[in-house]
Amino acid sequence: MAATIKDIAEKTNLSLATISKYINGGVVLPKNKLAIDQAIDELGFRVNEFARSLKTNRSKLIGILIPQWHVAFCAQIITQVEGLLRQHGYGIIVCDCSGDEAVGVQVVEFLVSKSVDGIITFPTAFSVKDYLPLTTSKNIPVVFIDGMPRDLSYDCVMVDNMNAIKKAVSYLIKKGHERIGVVNGPITSLSAQERLAGYYNAYSEHSLPIDANLIIDGGYATDITYEAVKKALTSDLNFTALLTANYEMTIGAIIAINEIGISIPDELSVIGFDDLQLTQIIKPRISIITQPMECIANMIVDIMLKRLAGNGPDSPQIIRLETGFSEGASVKEIYSESRSL
């Protein structure tokens, strides 16, 4: 028969109230904590999570809503977030809405039905107005990763997208590149809007004209980017450098470049986004805009735990973290005619 709280009480000579308080996350005297922990180990006691959730009105579950399973950035952040939440006694339920608005609503309804204590969500291509009111009515805290809708106010952790791209484009311009192609995500995405703004700002600061044909829609997807970059490379756009704005688009662009037989960096300079393992084995090593994954995960979990404890700030937190830059061997210095005159 499984051990109970009464068994622990008999073994430690402590009250049921003290043991229950400790098991449910309360603070007890150090000597009592030690005694309870020893009894738990010796008796093989396991908490009845269902019973505890009924008593505390907490499931110790966090729902995570992602746009699509295959997005590498999502997978890496979720892995780190899950590990941090586990340290605090929380489990996760991960759901994929596949970019479908109706599915997104169903997923949130499902998570709420499972009595999740909070929801961590990546921004999706559709409006979240249809499903976030449900979380508000249930007092379920929501934390966004990598952007959020402009017309809603929630806690959010993201990188400084605009300056990340601006710095990368400026780096290319200083290397002599004036015709720089940029593979960006869907304009409905806040992160894509900010990254495109960084591209424009860099050109403006260097007093260079912008060719709108060099702005390529990669849809934040490998296959879309592959087709779009392949088409651009076989046209007469004559760009000397290419910048991609996420990991999947970096891979799609590299596949297209290799298939056509263009040499990096001799014929085309390339800068990617997200320092994930696959980009490190591409030859030559691609220069990459890096996101502080560990810091992002820590911030997300910290905000969520504070909201759950009821000691978060009165207004939503919008945290923007700086990106890094890992210089590889994929950018060639050139001299344009306009600069040599």
Side-chain angles (χ1 to χ4, degrees):
M1 182 180 292
T4 66
I5 291 180
K6 288 184 179 180
D7 295 325
I8 297 175
E10 291 177 3
K11 193 169 187 64
T12 61
N13 292 319
L14 295 172
S15 69
L16 292 174
T18 297
I19 297 168
S20 178
K21 179 182 179 181
Y22 174 65
I23 290 175
N24 288 300
V27 178
V28 299
L29 294 174
K31 64 177 183 179
N32 292 341
K33 177 182 181 301
L34 179 61
I36 295 171
D37 283 339
Q38 288 177 343
I40 286 174
D41 288 340
E42 291 175 14
L43 296 171
F45 174 79
R46 294 292 181 269
V47 175
N48 185 327
E49 295 292 350
F50 178 71
R52 182 167 69 175
S53 68
L54 291 176
K55 184 176 181 179
T56 64
N57 201 29
R58 287 290 178 89
S59 65
K60 301 294 284 187
L61 291 172
I62 303 296
I64 300 182
L65 176 59
I66 62 175
Q68 291 180 328
W69 280 109
H70 68 267
V71 178
F73 173 75
C74 295
Q76 186 163 351
I77 289 295
I78 289 171
T79 299
Q80 297 197 33
V81 165
E82 189 276 335
L84 292 168
L85 286 172
R86 187 172 0 101
Q87 292 175 20
H88 291 86
Y90 284 88
I92 65 171
I93 301 176
V94 184
C95 297
D96 170 17
C97 70
S98 300
D100 187 299
E101 184 169 2
V103 174
V105 174
Q106 292 171 8
V107 164
V108 173
E109 289 176 345
F110 167 78
L111 292 174
V112 171
S113 74
K114 295 301 179 183
S115 301
V116 295
D117 296 333
I119 293 178
I120 296 170
T121 179
F122 293 81
T124 56
F126 54 84
S127 172
V128 296
K129 285 184 176 180
D130 290 331
Y131 66 76
L132 284 184
L134 180 60
T135 63
T136 302
S137 66
K138 299 288 186 179
N139 293 318
I140 298 173
V142 176
V143 179
F144 275 86
I145 306 174
D146 196 36
M148 71 172 194
R150 291 184 180 277
D151 54 349
L152 295 172
S153 296
Y154 287 88
D155 294 313
C156 174
V157 180
M158 62 194 303
V159 296
D160 187 347
N161 289 295
M162 187 183 74
N163 280 318
I165 297 299
K166 179 181 175 182
K167 290 176 182 178
V169 174
S170 295
Y171 172 83
L172 288 168
I173 291 173
K174 290 174 182 177
K175 293 288 187 180
H177 300 273
E178 295 186 358
R179 292 186 60 78
I180 302 167
V182 59
V183 186
N184 201 34
I187 202 61
T188 53
S189 163
L190 176 60
S191 62
Q193 294 170 14
E194 293 181 343
R195 290 170 191 180
L196 186 58
Y199 178 83
Y200 281 122
N201 287 349
Y203 266 85
S204 177
E205 284 195 2
H206 289 85
S207 301
L208 292 174
I210 293 175
D211 184 349
N213 294 313
L214 294 179
I215 300 171
I216 302 167
D217 180 9
Y220 279 156
T222 300
D223 56 345
I224 297 174
T225 298
Y226 163 76
E227 295 293 347
V229 170
K230 188 175 180 180
K231 180 179 179 181
L233 290 173
T234 54
S235 68
D236 58 355
L237 291 176
N238 297 319
F239 50 94
T240 61
L242 185 67
L243 171 64
T244 59
N246 89 332
Y247 174 76
E248 281 72 25
M249 294 192 296
T250 300
I251 299 303
I254 295 297
I255 292 172
I257 291 167
N258 289 342
E259 186 173 299
I260 294 173
I262 292 174
S263 174
I264 300 174
D266 294 333
E267 297 175 282
L268 182 69
S269 293
V270 175
I271 293 180
F273 205 102
D274 286 337
D275 190 18
L276 299 170
Q277 290 182 347
L278 188 55
T279 57
Q280 296 176 15
I281 63 174
I282 297 172
K283 301 298 181 182
R285 190 174 188 279
I286 304 298
S287 294
I288 294 285
I289 298 168
T290 61
Q291 299 198 67
M293 300 294 198
E294 184 176 347
C295 188
I296 292 173
N298 278 312
M299 288 290 185
I300 292 164
V301 172
D302 181 65
I303 291 172
M304 178 57 72
L305 292 177
K306 285 180 179 177
R307 291 295 181 197
L308 292 173
N311 58 7
D314 293 334
S315 57
Q317 290 182 281
I318 310 297
I319 297 177
R320 292 180 181 273
L321 303 171
E322 287 189 19
T323 55
F325 184 72
S326 177
E327 188 170 12
S330 61
V331 176
K332 179 182 179 180
E333 186 167 359
I334 64 173
Y335 299 94
S336 65
E337 291 184 10
S338 62
R339 291 178 180 270
S340 62
L341 294 176

